[in-house]
Amino acid sequence: MSSTEALNHVVSVAEANADYVDAEGTFPTAAVDALRRSGLLGLVLPEEIGGLGAGPRDLVDVVGTLAAACGSTAMIYLMHTAATVCVAAAPPPGAPELLSVMASGEALGTLAFSERGSRSHFWAPVSAGVLSDDGNAVKLRADKSWVTSADYADVYVVSAGSTSGVAGEVDLFALPKSVDGLSVVAPFTGMGLRGNASSPMTIDATLPVTARLGAEAAGFGLLMETVLPWFNLGNAAVSLGLASAAYSAAVSHVSGARLEHRDEALSALPTIRAQIARMGTTLAAQRAYLHSAAASVSAPNEETLNHVLGVKASANDAALAITESAMRVCGGAAFSKHLPIERVFRDARAGAVMAPTADVLYDFYGKAATGLPLF
Ligand SMILES: Cc1cc2nc3c(=O)[nH]c(=O)nc-3n(C[C@H](O)[C@H](O)[C@H](O)COP(=O)(O)OP(=O)(O)OC[C@H]3O[C@@H](n4cnc5c(N)ncnc54)[C@H](O)[C@@H]3O)c2cc1C
């Protein structure tokens, strides 16, 4: 099966289950199983270890297509991909096969960064690792506030204050699900992305130091240079995938729904056409921005930092505006769940509050544009 056929199959499974996943708040197991079999869990991993060797542009296309079918499936996929790029950048010596099982679909990964103490400031974990006297083990205690695919993922990429003890330094670790001391604290109930299983987790575990990604204190660099570009592109793609689903459903509804007494469709109303036009043009502009940001991450230049900071914030906000307009132009048909629009409206509220939040990114962008340090 080609990658396109594999994606089409995953999309058909995700689409068929999306309403049920949303209504029940249940993990999209069928779509994730289809993803595991598709080869797409290794999309951006090197071919030598069984990945597909694709780049940022392919990732945003795949994530956007998935999001238009099922937002939860797309976010679960993005979290896995962000975990894989992190592991690929600094493979843990204690798990030499980790990357190939994450590429093959045997192991689903996720990120456990956000903490109860530092909230959306994921770059500043308040937890801390403590190195054993012989330097072979790390004792880790952390309250993670949101972990997508909690309990369903096989590998958790976890952040903690560095064992170096230096304020602001961070370590990252790859924890298999089987490790003692990894527990889900509460079920996830969100207004949107309801299949995500983005639960709080506690970690109270002793790990071999070989579970660490990179050297001691290398975590902050991995967060900023590796995770941030891929995550921001993918998160922007989720937002635009959801926005495109809202736009398509709105166009179809206003073209078909009729005012019989006037013998015309809703689209005969100029106010409705103008809203459709604003949605369509905003979506097209954001897609172009996303593609140029993806190209810039592929071949970095002096604009790349701005693109990485700006693209998530502006796509998140565009998705808020587009899904809001879709709700409005489709009236009661959207409100009463006759259309998929209210699901994507709710799903699209997540992007702007996912870290780095849209407001933090605007602040960082402004700092970068005016020559101030980000931190
Ligand atoms: C569906 C979903 C899935 C998630 N999955 C994961 C996951 O898999 N792994 C993970 O690690 N995390 C995950 N998160 C957590 C996410 O990344 C954020 O950490 C979390 O949403 C922040 O919520 P909070 O209430 O702690 O935000 P707060 O930090 O309390 O923010 C509240 C408000 O303050 C604003 N704010 C905060 N700091 C600043 C600043 N410096 N400048 C301007 N404004 C600021 C924010 O923008 C926001 O509007 C997920 C979140 C959601 C919604």
Side-chain angles (χ1 to χ4, degrees), residues 112 114-116 127 140-147 150 156 158 175 177 179-186 199-205:
S114 304
E115 295 195 350
R116 200 153 59 89
S127 61
L140 199 59
R141 173 81 190 77
D143 286 321
K144 296 296 178 181
S145 47
W146 301 75
V147 182
Y156 298 78
V158 173
L175 272 63
K177 182 182 181 180
V179 83
D180 275 343
L182 199 58
S183 17
V184 175
V185 177
S199 286
M201 294 185 79
T202 56
I203 299 160
D204 191 357

Side-chain angles (χ1 to χ4, degrees), residues 79 111 113-114 119-121 146 148 198 353-355 357 359-360:
M79 287 302 178
L111 302 178
F113 289 170
S114 304
R119 307 187 70 87
S120 58
H121 296 193
W146 301 75
T148 291
S198 299
V353 298
M354 290 186 77
T357 66
D359 287 331
V360 164

Side-chain angles (χ1 to χ4, degrees), residues 124-357:
V126 295
S127 61
V130 178
L131 207 53
S132 62
D133 290 342
D134 62 7
N136 291 328
V138 177
K139 175 87 182 125
L140 199 59
R141 173 81 190 77
D143 286 321
K144 296 296 178 181
S145 47
W146 301 75
V147 182
T148 291
S149 309
D151 217 24
Y152 293 91
D154 308 292
V155 178
Y156 298 78
V157 173
V158 173
S159 59
S162 175
T163 52
S164 69
V166 177
E169 290 189 342
V170 179
D171 292 332
L172 298 185
F173 299 90
L175 272 63
K177 182 182 181 180
S178 57
V179 83
D180 275 343
L182 199 58
S183 17
V184 175
V185 177
F188 171 64
T189 49
M191 71 173 282
L193 297 182
R194 287 174 41 74
N196 263 20
S198 299
S199 286
M201 294 185 79
T202 56
I203 299 160
D204 191 357
T206 301
L207 318 168
V209 76
T210 53
R212 192 174 59 211
L213 306 184
E216 184 178 68
F220 188 84
L222 284 168
L223 289 176
M224 292 303 147
E225 285 148 34
T226 304
V227 181
L228 190 70
W230 289 96
F231 179 76
N232 277 11
L233 289 174
N235 188 281
V238 172
S239 284
L240 298 188
L242 292 168
S244 76
Y247 175 68
S248 304
V251 168
S252 161
H253 179 74
V254 302
S255 310
R258 298 198 64 76
L259 297 165
E260 286 181 13
H261 60 295
R262 289 165 63 151
D263 192 24
E264 60 190 27
L266 284 175
S267 57
L269 300 169
T271 48
I272 291 211
R273 290 199 303 270
Q275 294 233 45
I276 292 287
R278 278 193 209 98
M279 291 159 71
T281 51
T282 303
L283 189 56
Q286 290 296 326
R287 278 185 172 142
Y289 187 18
L290 180 57
H291 287 153
S292 84
S296 180
V297 169
S298 295
N301 56 31
E302 65 284 353
E303 282 300 313
T304 305
L305 177 63
N306 283 347
H307 279 318
V308 166
L309 298 174
V311 76
K312 173 181 178 290
S314 66
N316 294 159
D317 275 348
L320 295 181
I322 291 168
T323 54
E324 160 89 22
S325 297
M327 287 294 295
R328 186 145 177 167
V329 295
C330 295
F335 191 84
S336 60
K337 299 195 181 215
H338 285 122
L339 302 168
I341 291 173
E342 68 82 38
R343 169 166 55 81
V344 297
F345 172 84
R346 287 183 286 104
D347 287 352
R349 309 294 106 179
V353 298
M354 290 186 77
T357 66

